[in-house]
């Protein structure tokens, strides 16, 4: 078995172990591309913790941040399913070299649904393409005399960008 295949298999193994422990079917393995070293493994912790953001990818990113690593440059990320929009956004911020997913969203959808009153697995990605005023989650801009003040303060404190 090639090393790449071992990481894929390990992500699935983590997900299966998590299901056996009462968790959701998602695992993540972050690998240093150059050395092949596994930097972190994580499983979805939503059912165990009640933290709705504790998806496997975000749990892995948080664990690496606790060790002082603030990004995934130079890393490959192996996951059991194509990332949800929240995890996909986190991965874009973390900037791995690539994401390897085992199941497509359609394959996942045949057996698993994690929707809520605003969206379903089948419609979640479409929500992001809509203008904010047309999304299922109500959102409105609050009134404030200077909505840009926090961002100007940040820019002044960080002139290098």
């Amino acid at each position: 078995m090639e090393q790449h295949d071992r990481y894929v298999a390990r992500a699935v193994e983590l997900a299966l172990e998590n299901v056996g422990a009462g968790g959701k079917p998602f695992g993540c393995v972050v690998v240093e591309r150059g050395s092949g070293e596994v930097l972190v493994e994580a499983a979805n912790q939503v059912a165990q913790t009640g933290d709705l953001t504790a998806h496997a990818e975000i749990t892995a990113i948080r664990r690496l941040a606790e060790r002082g690593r603030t990004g995934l440059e130079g890393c490959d990320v192996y996951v059991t399913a194509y990332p949800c929009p929240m995890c996909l956004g986190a991965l874009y911020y973390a900037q791995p070299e690539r994401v390897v997913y085992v199941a497509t969203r359609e394959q996942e959808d045949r057996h698993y649904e994690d929707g809520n009153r605003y969206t379903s697995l089948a419609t979640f990605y479409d929500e992001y393409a809509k203008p904010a005023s047309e999304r299922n989650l109500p959102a409105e801009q609050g009134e404030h005399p200077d909505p840009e003040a926090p961002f100007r303060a940040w820019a002044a404190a960080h002139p290098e960008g």
Side-chain angles (χ1 to χ4, degrees):
M1 181 185 297
E2 287 186 37
Q3 212 167 6
H4 172 78
D5 295 334
R6 282 197 293 265
Y7 306 135
V8 167
R10 182 62 182 146
V12 171
E13 185 178 326
L14 288 166
L16 289 169
E17 289 171 359
N18 203 44
V19 169
K24 296 188 178 207
F26 302 98
C28 177
V29 179
V30 178
V31 177
E32 182 73 45
R33 181 176 264 201
S35 67
E37 176 188 359
V38 174
L39 299 180
V40 71
E41 296 180 340
N44 181 299
Q45 296 296 298
V46 172
Q48 294 91 327
T49 66
D51 177 354
L52 297 175
T53 67
H55 290 199
E57 298 92 327
I58 291 175
T59 299
I61 291 168
R62 288 176 180 163
R63 287 181 183 164
L64 287 170
E66 289 169 0
R67 299 180 200 163
R69 184 162 188 148
T70 59
L72 298 179
E73 295 89 350
C75 296
D76 291 330
V77 177
Y78 295 83
V79 294
T80 51
Y82 189 80
C84 75
M86 178 180 67
C87 292
L88 192 58
L91 289 165
Y92 268 95
Y93 274 104
Q95 304 176 59
E97 300 307 313
R98 72 175 169 173
V99 174
V100 178
Y101 59 94
V102 179
T104 65
R105 299 309 285 181
E106 295 77 19
Q107 290 169 320
E108 174 190 348
D109 191 35
R110 286 197 281 271
H111 308 280
Y112 180 82
E113 173 57 57
D114 200 21
N116 61 41
R117 67 187 176 128
Y118 293 123
T119 191
S120 69
L121 184 61
T123 64
F124 205 169
Y125 294 91
D126 297 336
E127 278 293 297
Y128 285 84
K130 295 177 184 177
S133 63
E134 295 176 19
R135 292 182 184 160
N136 291 331
L137 175 63
E140 61 186 61
Q141 185 175 11
E143 294 293 325
H144 188 275
D146 190 3
E148 296 179 23
F151 309 103
R152 273 197 315 280
W154 187 89
H158 302 89
E160 68 283 350

